[in-house]
Amino acid sequence: MNKCSIAITGAAGNIAYSLIFRILSGSIFMPDTKIDLRLLDIPDAKKILHGVKLEIEDCAFNSLDTITVTDKPDVAFTDCDYILLVGAKPRSKGMQRSDLILDNAHIFCDQGKIINKVSKKSVKIIVVGNPANTNALIVCSNTPDIPNENISSLMRLDQNRAKSILSSKVGQHVSCVTKLVVWGNHSTTQYPDISHAQINNSNNFLDTIDEHWIHDDFIPRVQKRGAEIIEHRGLSSAASAASAVYDHFNVLVNGSDDWESMGILTSNNYSITSNLFYSLPLKISKNSFDIIESIEVSEKMRTYLSATEKELIDERDTVKEFL
Ligand code: NAD
Ligand code: LMR
């Protein structure tokens, strides 16, 4: 039997309520792998967290070995293989994700320090709590013993949204859309990029798509999709976010044939400022990734890349005391 320890923070929250069950019923790991699950939330959420534990037990999952529920980060993170940092305040109507920055920064700073002390040095960390890219930078700065490339922030929700919107536009199933990546920040400045996208392995569809649709409809719709969900649900996306975390986790463990988007630490790739968590196009194989370096950047595209880069630099300045 193989064992794998996974910690999920914000485990009494909305995303976790979907995510935990997706992971335990899913197929990220081989069938003989048993999961040692650690669920962390704050002391005030203790009762809810206990209820979540009872429901997990009631599912009688084959994949589950043990569950620990705790409000102590060191208990949750000790010797972990994977940590999913979901726990943070979500935004409500009328807010930007960056409005959460100072409320949430200390969570990622404190948890980063503890992870650095108690987790395996090979731990893989996925940052979901918003603003996810800058929170990932805070985690990275506070985990000096963990390789930078083991930390990534979630952009898969944006990539999934973009693929779904394009598939409706061209009238093809979403699984036919490949090589569609999202650059930059998980925010309204992100750049969903269809310039290299393919439908059924061909980019002929681009001849049928009007530039106005790309710039005035498609890009703003993807950029503002999070706010559109909040407008309708009164709460931020949870099931779709959990599904995207599952997809991100799955490609980290098993690799992907497609191009993927994740926030990773920059080091002057595509002339983007170093030391930001910026989403770049990636080829991911089991347990490692390579940045796709061959994409030509047009003048128009550079304007988009620079706007989202500038926003991330500003966010980094705001949290400098946590870095
Ligand atoms: P939620 O309010 O339902 O749950 C958050 C949970 O985190 C709560 O149970 C809360 O008690 C817990 N928490 C707060 N501080 C904590 C701490 N220090 N340690 C452990 N747990 C803590 O929110 P949600 O809908 O689950 O969203 C969680 C976060 O994910 C939000 O910041 C939201 O904006 C973000 N989000 C990100 C994406 C993305 O694509 N990156 C998508 C959706 C939501
Ligand atoms: C999303 O994109 O749905 C999440 O980041 C939640 C939000 O605040 O929009």
Side-chain angles (χ1 to χ4, degrees):
M1 173 180 88
N2 293 316
K3 258 203 183 179
C4 169
S5 45
I6 304 173
I8 301 179
T9 73
N14 285 300
I15 294 178
Y17 193 63
S18 174
L19 177 63
I20 293 166
F21 299 88
R22 284 290 310 270
I23 292 173
L24 291 172
S25 62
S27 55
I28 296 180
F29 298 99
M30 302 297 279
D32 67 341
T33 301
K34 299 287 180 224
I35 295 174
D36 163 16
L37 185 66
R38 288 84 173 288
L39 302 179
L40 177 74
D41 211 295
I42 55 173
D44 280 355
K46 202 171 172 178
K47 196 164 177 205
I48 299 175
L49 198 52
H50 185 68
V52 173
K53 178 174 184 262
L54 296 180
E55 282 206 72
I56 295 168
E57 288 168 355
D58 290 351
C59 293
F61 286 118
N62 269 335
S63 59
L64 185 68
D65 185 37
T66 42
I67 321 174
T68 307
V69 295
T70 181
D71 56 15
K72 297 186 178 48
D74 55 332
V75 172
F77 299 148
T78 293
D79 292 332
C80 257
D81 296 302
Y82 297 96
I83 299 179
L84 313 183
L85 294 176
V86 180
K89 197 171 155 182
R91 65 172 165 155
S92 42
K93 262 187 207 174
M95 289 171 82
Q96 293 298 321
R97 296 178 188 91
S98 56
D99 295 337
L100 301 166
I101 203 161
L102 288 173
D103 280 341
N104 286 340
H106 67 96
I107 298 175
F108 295 88
C109 178
D110 296 349
Q111 292 183 350
K113 289 192 168 88
I114 297 169
I115 291 169
N116 197 57
K117 264 197 218 140
V118 305
S119 296
K120 288 184 182 162
K121 298 307 166 212
S122 57
V123 64
K124 298 270 173 67
I125 303 168
I126 304 173
V127 181
V128 179
N130 276 320
N133 303 55
T134 297
N135 289 335
L137 180 65
I138 295 174
V139 172
C140 188
S141 304
N142 288 283
T143 49
D145 300 335
I146 291 168
N148 298 334
E149 58 275 16
N150 288 13
I151 303 165
S152 56
S153 65
L154 185 70
M155 294 296 292
R156 181 61 188 255
L157 179 55
D158 307 286
Q159 183 178 292
N160 287 348
R161 287 168 171 167
K163 280 188 174 182
S164 171
I165 292 169
L166 180 61
S167 84
S168 302
K169 171 75 177 170
V170 297
Q172 294 281 337
H173 191 268
V174 71
S175 59
C176 304
V177 183
T178 52
K179 298 191 173 174
L180 196 172
V181 289
V182 179
W183 301 71
N185 198 4
H186 174 61
S187 76
T188 51
T189 63
Q190 67 180 271
Y191 174 52
D193 176 13
I194 61 168
S195 57
H196 293 78
Q198 298 193 337
I199 308 282
N200 294 319
N201 302 317
S202 154
N203 60 7
N204 290 345
F205 81 95
L206 282 170
D207 301 338
T208 66
I209 287 198
D210 165 9
E211 281 281 304
H212 287 297
W213 179 80
I214 299 175
H215 298 286
D216 303 334
D217 191 348
F218 170 72
I219 293 175
R221 269 184 79 198
V222 180
Q223 290 173 328
K224 295 183 196 150
R225 186 65 158 194
E228 190 181 347
I229 304 290
I230 293 171
E231 184 58 38
H232 285 83
R233 258 173 49 83
L235 285 173
S236 73
S237 66
S240 57
S243 189
V245 179
Y246 179 91
D247 292 341
H248 180 129
F249 193 3
N250 188 32
V251 301
L252 277 189
V253 175
N254 295 309
S256 164
D257 295 334
D258 196 1
W259 292 7
E260 300 295 341
S261 318
M262 290 185 334
I264 57 162
L265 192 70
T266 49
S267 97
N268 203 32
N269 324 86
Y270 288 96
S271 304
I272 289 153
T273 307
S274 295
N275 208 25
L276 298 172
F277 269 74
Y278 189 105
S279 181
L280 290 170
L282 304 174
K283 269 308 278 176
I284 305 185
S285 43
K286 279 190 180 189
N287 288 313
S288 70
F289 62 78
D290 290 306
I291 298 168
I292 296 163
E293 303 273 10
S294 55
I295 295 175
E296 217 170 287
V297 178
S298 65
E299 220 171 288
K300 179 121 188 158
M301 177 169 168
R302 178 58 67 187
T303 310
Y304 282 112
L305 299 195
S306 300
T308 192
E309 173 189 14
K310 181 180 177 315
E311 183 182 44
L312 282 168
I313 295 170
D314 290 346
E315 288 186 13
R316 183 176 66 184
D317 287 346
T318 308
V319 298
K320 58 181 179 303
E321 67 187 284
F322 298 96
L323 301 179

PDB file of all heavy atoms in Angstrom, residues 100-125:
ATOM      1  N   LEU A 100      -8.654  41.882  -0.643  1.00  0.00           N
ATOM      2  CA  LEU A 100      -8.475  40.920   0.456  1.00  0.00           C
ATOM      3  C   LEU A 100      -7.031  40.849   0.918  1.00  0.00           C
ATOM      4  O   LEU A 100      -6.708  40.154   1.879  1.00  0.00           O
ATOM      5  CB  LEU A 100      -8.859  39.502  -0.020  1.00  0.00           C
ATOM      6  CG  LEU A 100     -10.283  39.283  -0.538  1.00  0.00           C
ATOM      7  CD1 LEU A 100     -10.378  37.962  -1.282  1.00  0.00           C
ATOM      8  CD2 LEU A 100     -11.248  39.291   0.650  1.00  0.00           C
ATOM      9  N   ILE A 101      -6.174  41.578   0.202  1.00  0.00           N
ATOM     10  CA  ILE A 101      -4.739  41.283   0.312  1.00  0.00           C
ATOM     11  C   ILE A 101      -4.216  41.375   1.746  1.00  0.00           C
ATOM     12  O   ILE A 101      -3.527  40.467   2.201  1.00  0.00           O
ATOM     13  CB  ILE A 101      -3.947  42.162  -0.688  1.00  0.00           C
ATOM     14  CG1 ILE A 101      -2.628  41.539  -1.028  1.00  0.00           C
ATOM     15  CG2 ILE A 101      -3.770  43.578  -0.243  1.00  0.00           C
ATOM     16  CD1 ILE A 101      -2.015  42.092  -2.308  1.00  0.00           C
ATOM     17  N   LEU A 102      -4.555  42.464   2.454  1.00  0.00           N
ATOM     18  CA  LEU A 102      -3.963  42.611   3.781  1.00  0.00           C
ATOM     19  C   LEU A 102      -4.689  41.774   4.831  1.00  0.00           C
ATOM     20  O   LEU A 102      -4.105  41.368   5.824  1.00  0.00           O
ATOM     21  CB  LEU A 102      -3.865  44.082   4.178  1.00  0.00           C
ATOM     22  CG  LEU A 102      -2.774  44.809   3.378  1.00  0.00           C
ATOM     23  CD1 LEU A 102      -2.781  46.307   3.641  1.00  0.00           C
ATOM     24  CD2 LEU A 102      -1.372  44.233   3.621  1.00  0.00           C
ATOM     25  N   ASP A 103      -5.974  41.449   4.565  1.00  0.00           N
ATOM     26  CA  ASP A 103      -6.696  40.539   5.470  1.00  0.00           C
ATOM     27  C   ASP A 103      -6.102  39.142   5.432  1.00  0.00           C
ATOM     28  O   ASP A 103      -6.071  38.437   6.442  1.00  0.00           O
ATOM     29  CB  ASP A 103      -8.167  40.412   5.042  1.00  0.00           C
ATOM     30  CG  ASP A 103      -8.991  41.587   5.521  1.00  0.00           C
ATOM     31  OD1 ASP A 103      -8.538  42.275   6.442  1.00  0.00           O
ATOM     32  OD2 ASP A 103     -10.077  41.808   4.947  1.00  0.00           O
ATOM     33  N   ASN A 104      -5.668  38.721   4.249  1.00  0.00           N
ATOM     34  CA  ASN A 104      -5.262  37.314   4.082  1.00  0.00           C
ATOM     35  C   ASN A 104      -3.747  37.081   4.137  1.00  0.00           C
ATOM     36  O   ASN A 104      -3.304  35.959   4.375  1.00  0.00           O
ATOM     37  CB  ASN A 104      -5.815  36.760   2.760  1.00  0.00           C
ATOM     38  CG  ASN A 104      -7.329  36.502   2.832  1.00  0.00           C
ATOM     39  OD1 ASN A 104      -7.879  36.374   3.928  1.00  0.00           O
ATOM     40  ND2 ASN A 104      -7.975  36.425   1.687  1.00  0.00           N
ATOM     41  N   ALA A 105      -2.950  38.152   3.925  1.00  0.00           N
ATOM     42  CA  ALA A 105      -1.493  37.961   3.787  1.00  0.00           C
ATOM     43  C   ALA A 105      -0.877  37.249   4.995  1.00  0.00           C
ATOM     44  O   ALA A 105      -0.035  36.357   4.840  1.00  0.00           O
ATOM     45  CB  ALA A 105      -0.815  39.311   3.592  1.00  0.00           C
ATOM     46  N   HIS A 106      -1.341  37.634   6.211  1.00  0.00           N
ATOM     47  CA  HIS A 106      -0.710  37.058   7.407  1.00  0.00           C
ATOM     48  C   HIS A 106      -0.946  35.548   7.488  1.00  0.00           C
ATOM     49  O   HIS A 106      -0.115  34.797   7.994  1.00  0.00           O
ATOM     50  CB  HIS A 106      -1.223  37.763   8.674  1.00  0.00           C
ATOM     51  CG  HIS A 106      -2.671  37.486   8.937  1.00  0.00           C
ATOM     52  ND1 HIS A 106      -3.080  36.499   9.786  1.00  0.00           N
ATOM     53  CD2 HIS A 106      -3.782  38.020   8.405  1.00  0.00           C
ATOM     54  CE1 HIS A 106      -4.410  36.448   9.786  1.00  0.00           C
ATOM     55  NE2 HIS A 106      -4.856  37.362   8.956  1.00  0.00           N
ATOM     56  N   ILE A 107      -2.079  35.069   6.940  1.00  0.00           N
ATOM     57  CA  ILE A 107      -2.377  33.623   6.987  1.00  0.00           C
ATOM     58  C   ILE A 107      -1.274  32.871   6.224  1.00  0.00           C
ATOM     59  O   ILE A 107      -0.723  31.873   6.692  1.00  0.00           O
ATOM     60  CB  ILE A 107      -3.745  33.307   6.318  1.00  0.00           C
ATOM     61  CG1 ILE A 107      -4.896  34.005   7.041  1.00  0.00           C
ATOM     62  CG2 ILE A 107      -3.974  31.808   6.212  1.00  0.00           C
ATOM     63  CD1 ILE A 107      -6.267  33.823   6.366  1.00  0.00           C
ATOM     64  N   PHE A 108      -0.940  33.389   5.040  1.00  0.00           N
ATOM     65  CA  PHE A 108       0.004  32.676   4.180  1.00  0.00           C
ATOM     66  C   PHE A 108       1.437  32.833   4.680  1.00  0.00           C
ATOM     67  O   PHE A 108       2.266  31.931   4.506  1.00  0.00           O
ATOM     68  CB  PHE A 108      -0.198  33.144   2.720  1.00  0.00           C
ATOM     69  CG  PHE A 108      -1.562  32.731   2.237  1.00  0.00           C
ATOM     70  CD1 PHE A 108      -2.678  33.539   2.439  1.00  0.00           C
ATOM     71  CD2 PHE A 108      -1.754  31.490   1.662  1.00  0.00           C
ATOM     72  CE1 PHE A 108      -3.945  33.129   2.067  1.00  0.00           C
ATOM     73  CE2 PHE A 108      -3.029  31.068   1.292  1.00  0.00           C
ATOM     74  CZ  PHE A 108      -4.124  31.890   1.488  1.00  0.00           C
ATOM     75  N   CYS A 109       1.700  33.954   5.346  1.00  0.00           N
ATOM     76  CA  CYS A 109       3.014  34.176   5.939  1.00  0.00           C
ATOM     77  C   CYS A 109       3.211  33.188   7.098  1.00  0.00           C
ATOM     78  O   CYS A 109       4.212  32.444   7.148  1.00  0.00           O
ATOM     79  CB  CYS A 109       3.091  35.624   6.401  1.00  0.00           C
ATOM     80  SG  CYS A 109       4.605  36.041   7.210  1.00  0.00           S
ATOM     81  N   ASP A 110       2.234  33.140   8.012  1.00  0.00           N
ATOM     82  CA  ASP A 110       2.350  32.259   9.186  1.00  0.00           C
ATOM     83  C   ASP A 110       2.392  30.789   8.744  1.00  0.00           C
ATOM     84  O   ASP A 110       3.205  30.003   9.236  1.00  0.00           O
ATOM     85  CB  ASP A 110       1.151  32.435  10.134  1.00  0.00           C
ATOM     86  CG  ASP A 110       1.106  33.844  10.727  1.00  0.00           C
ATOM     87  OD1 ASP A 110       2.096  34.581  10.574  1.00  0.00           O
ATOM     88  OD2 ASP A 110       0.065  34.200  11.323  1.00  0.00           O
ATOM     89  N   GLN A 111       1.500  30.428   7.829  1.00  0.00           N
ATOM     90  CA  GLN A 111       1.453  29.012   7.421  1.00  0.00           C
ATOM     91  C   GLN A 111       2.725  28.622   6.652  1.00  0.00           C
ATOM     92  O   GLN A 111       3.229  27.512   6.817  1.00  0.00           O
ATOM     93  CB  GLN A 111       0.194  28.735   6.591  1.00  0.00           C
ATOM     94  CG  GLN A 111      -1.063  28.846   7.479  1.00  0.00           C
ATOM     95  CD  GLN A 111      -2.369  28.527   6.778  1.00  0.00           C
ATOM     96  OE1 GLN A 111      -2.415  28.379   5.558  1.00  0.00           O
ATOM     97  NE2 GLN A 111      -3.444  28.431   7.538  1.00  0.00           N
ATOM     98  N   GLY A 112       3.249  29.556   5.857  1.00  0.00           N
ATOM     99  CA  GLY A 112       4.502  29.276   5.131  1.00  0.00           C
ATOM    100  C   GLY A 112       5.621  28.928   6.109  1.00  0.00           C
ATOM    101  O   GLY A 112       6.338  27.923   5.934  1.00  0.00           O
ATOM    102  N   LYS A 113       5.743  29.719   7.154  1.00  0.00           N
ATOM    103  CA  LYS A 113       6.814  29.491   8.141  1.00  0.00           C
ATOM    104  C   LYS A 113       6.672  28.104   8.775  1.00  0.00           C
ATOM    105  O   LYS A 113       7.668  27.390   8.978  1.00  0.00           O
ATOM    106  CB  LYS A 113       6.750  30.550   9.250  1.00  0.00           C
ATOM    107  CG  LYS A 113       7.176  31.930   8.777  1.00  0.00           C
ATOM    108  CD  LYS A 113       7.383  32.875   9.965  1.00  0.00           C
ATOM    109  CE  LYS A 113       8.085  34.141   9.527  1.00  0.00           C
ATOM    110  NZ  LYS A 113       7.207  35.196   9.056  1.00  0.00           N
ATOM    111  N   ILE A 114       5.436  27.720   9.086  1.00  0.00           N
ATOM    112  CA  ILE A 114       5.217  26.406   9.724  1.00  0.00           C
ATOM    113  C   ILE A 114       5.496  25.273   8.725  1.00  0.00           C
ATOM    114  O   ILE A 114       6.148  24.283   9.060  1.00  0.00           O
ATOM    115  CB  ILE A 114       3.794  26.328  10.316  1.00  0.00           C
ATOM    116  CG1 ILE A 114       3.649  27.396  11.411  1.00  0.00           C
ATOM    117  CG2 ILE A 114       3.500  24.938  10.876  1.00  0.00           C
ATOM    118  CD1 ILE A 114       2.236  27.624  11.901  1.00  0.00           C
ATOM    119  N   ILE A 115       5.032  25.452   7.491  1.00  0.00           N
ATOM    120  CA  ILE A 115       5.284  24.434   6.463  1.00  0.00           C
ATOM    121  C   ILE A 115       6.793  24.218   6.319  1.00  0.00           C
ATOM    122  O   ILE A 115       7.288  23.088   6.239  1.00  0.00           O
ATOM    123  CB  ILE A 115       4.669  24.870   5.104  1.00  0.00           C
ATOM    124  CG1 ILE A 115       3.142  24.851   5.170  1.00  0.00           C
ATOM    125  CG2 ILE A 115       5.181  23.993   3.961  1.00  0.00           C
ATOM    126  CD1 ILE A 115       2.438  25.513   3.986  1.00  0.00           C
ATOM    127  N   ASN A 116       7.525  25.318   6.311  1.00  0.00           N
ATOM    128  CA  ASN A 116       8.981  25.213   6.143  1.00  0.00           C
ATOM    129  C   ASN A 116       9.621  24.376   7.245  1.00  0.00           C
ATOM    130  O   ASN A 116      10.574  23.644   7.011  1.00  0.00           O
ATOM    131  CB  ASN A 116       9.588  26.613   6.126  1.00  0.00           C
ATOM    132  CG  ASN A 116      10.987  26.610   5.555  1.00  0.00           C
ATOM    133  OD1 ASN A 116      11.184  26.168   4.427  1.00  0.00           O
ATOM    134  ND2 ASN A 116      11.967  27.058   6.329  1.00  0.00           N
ATOM    135  N   LYS A 117       9.051  24.483   8.447  1.00  0.00           N
ATOM    136  CA  LYS A 117       9.619  23.738   9.588  1.00  0.00           C
ATOM    137  C   LYS A 117       9.222  22.273   9.586  1.00  0.00           C
ATOM    138  O   LYS A 117      10.033  21.406   9.891  1.00  0.00           O
ATOM    139  CB  LYS A 117       9.081  24.346  10.902  1.00  0.00           C
ATOM    140  CG  LYS A 117      10.013  25.343  11.501  1.00  0.00           C
ATOM    141  CD  LYS A 117       9.635  25.586  12.974  1.00  0.00           C
ATOM    142  CE  LYS A 117       9.837  27.057  13.278  1.00  0.00           C
ATOM    143  NZ  LYS A 117       8.845  27.647  14.104  1.00  0.00           N
ATOM    144  N   VAL A 118       7.940  21.969   9.261  1.00  0.00           N
ATOM    145  CA  VAL A 118       7.440  20.626   9.593  1.00  0.00           C
ATOM    146  C   VAL A 118       7.099  19.730   8.401  1.00  0.00           C
ATOM    147  O   VAL A 118       6.926  18.521   8.574  1.00  0.00           O
ATOM    148  CB  VAL A 118       6.204  20.701  10.537  1.00  0.00           C
ATOM    149  CG1 VAL A 118       6.513  21.498  11.787  1.00  0.00           C
ATOM    150  CG2 VAL A 118       4.973  21.276   9.832  1.00  0.00           C
ATOM    151  N   SER A 119       6.969  20.321   7.202  1.00  0.00           N
ATOM    152  CA  SER A 119       6.563  19.474   6.060  1.00  0.00           C
ATOM    153  C   SER A 119       7.782  18.831   5.428  1.00  0.00           C
ATOM    154  O   SER A 119       8.916  19.233   5.675  1.00  0.00           O
ATOM    155  CB  SER A 119       5.841  20.315   5.006  1.00  0.00           C
ATOM    156  OG  SER A 119       4.653  20.819   5.535  1.00  0.00           O
ATOM    157  N   LYS A 120       7.521  17.819   4.565  1.00  0.00           N
ATOM    158  CA  LYS A 120       8.623  17.253   3.785  1.00  0.00           C
ATOM    159  C   LYS A 120       9.185  18.347   2.880  1.00  0.00           C
ATOM    160  O   LYS A 120       8.420  19.196   2.407  1.00  0.00           O
ATOM    161  CB  LYS A 120       8.088  16.126   2.890  1.00  0.00           C
ATOM    162  CG  LYS A 120       7.708  14.889   3.648  1.00  0.00           C
ATOM    163  CD  LYS A 120       7.276  13.789   2.699  1.00  0.00           C
ATOM    164  CE  LYS A 120       6.862  12.574   3.502  1.00  0.00           C
ATOM    165  NZ  LYS A 120       6.044  11.636   2.722  1.00  0.00           N
ATOM    166  N   LYS A 121      10.464  18.299   2.603  1.00  0.00           N
ATOM    167  CA  LYS A 121      11.044  19.321   1.725  1.00  0.00           C
ATOM    168  C   LYS A 121      10.539  19.139   0.291  1.00  0.00           C
ATOM    169  O   LYS A 121      10.632  20.022  -0.548  1.00  0.00           O
ATOM    170  CB  LYS A 121      12.583  19.283   1.754  1.00  0.00           C
ATOM    171  CG  LYS A 121      13.146  19.567   3.146  1.00  0.00           C
ATOM    172  CD  LYS A 121      12.605  20.870   3.764  1.00  0.00           C
ATOM    173  CE  LYS A 121      12.886  20.958   5.250  1.00  0.00           C
ATOM    174  NZ  LYS A 121      11.861  21.679   6.026  1.00  0.00           N
ATOM    175  N   SER A 122      10.015  17.959   0.003  1.00  0.00           N
ATOM    176  CA  SER A 122       9.482  17.684  -1.343  1.00  0.00           C
ATOM    177  C   SER A 122       8.000  18.045  -1.459  1.00  0.00           C
ATOM    178  O   SER A 122       7.388  17.788  -2.495  1.00  0.00           O
ATOM    179  CB  SER A 122       9.647  16.200  -1.643  1.00  0.00           C
ATOM    180  OG  SER A 122       8.979  15.453  -0.623  1.00  0.00           O
ATOM    181  N   VAL A 123       7.430  18.648  -0.403  1.00  0.00           N
ATOM    182  CA  VAL A 123       5.981  18.939  -0.427  1.00  0.00           C
ATOM    183  C   VAL A 123       5.618  19.815  -1.636  1.00  0.00           C
ATOM    184  O   VAL A 123       6.391  20.686  -2.034  1.00  0.00           O
ATOM    185  CB  VAL A 123       5.548  19.641   0.898  1.00  0.00           C
ATOM    186  CG1 VAL A 123       6.194  21.003   1.064  1.00  0.00           C
ATOM    187  CG2 VAL A 123       4.033  19.753   0.991  1.00  0.00           C
ATOM    188  N   LYS A 124       4.449  19.540  -2.223  1.00  0.00           N
ATOM    189  CA  LYS A 124       3.932  20.398  -3.314  1.00  0.00           C
ATOM    190  C   LYS A 124       2.781  21.213  -2.738  1.00  0.00           C
ATOM    191  O   LYS A 124       1.888  20.651  -2.073  1.00  0.00           O
ATOM    192  CB  LYS A 124       3.399  19.550  -4.468  1.00  0.00           C
ATOM    193  CG  LYS A 124       4.455  18.672  -5.130  1.00  0.00           C
ATOM    194  CD  LYS A 124       5.122  19.424  -6.261  1.00  0.00           C
ATOM    195  CE  LYS A 124       6.291  18.684  -6.858  1.00  0.00           C
ATOM    196  NZ  LYS A 124       5.965  17.465  -7.550  1.00  0.00           N
ATOM    197  N   ILE A 125       2.820  22.508  -2.994  1.00  0.00           N
ATOM    198  CA  ILE A 125       1.832  23.421  -2.389  1.00  0.00           C
ATOM    199  C   ILE A 125       1.035  24.105  -3.504  1.00  0.00           C
ATOM    200  O   ILE A 125       1.627  24.687  -4.422  1.00  0.00           O
ATOM    201  CB  ILE A 125       2.563  24.494  -1.552  1.00  0.00           C
ATOM    202  CG1 ILE A 125       3.451  23.828  -0.484  1.00  0.00           C
ATOM    203  CG2 ILE A 125       1.573  25.468  -0.925  1.00  0.00           C
ATOM    204  CD1 ILE A 125       4.421  24.790   0.194  1.00  0.00           C
TER     205      ILE A 125
END
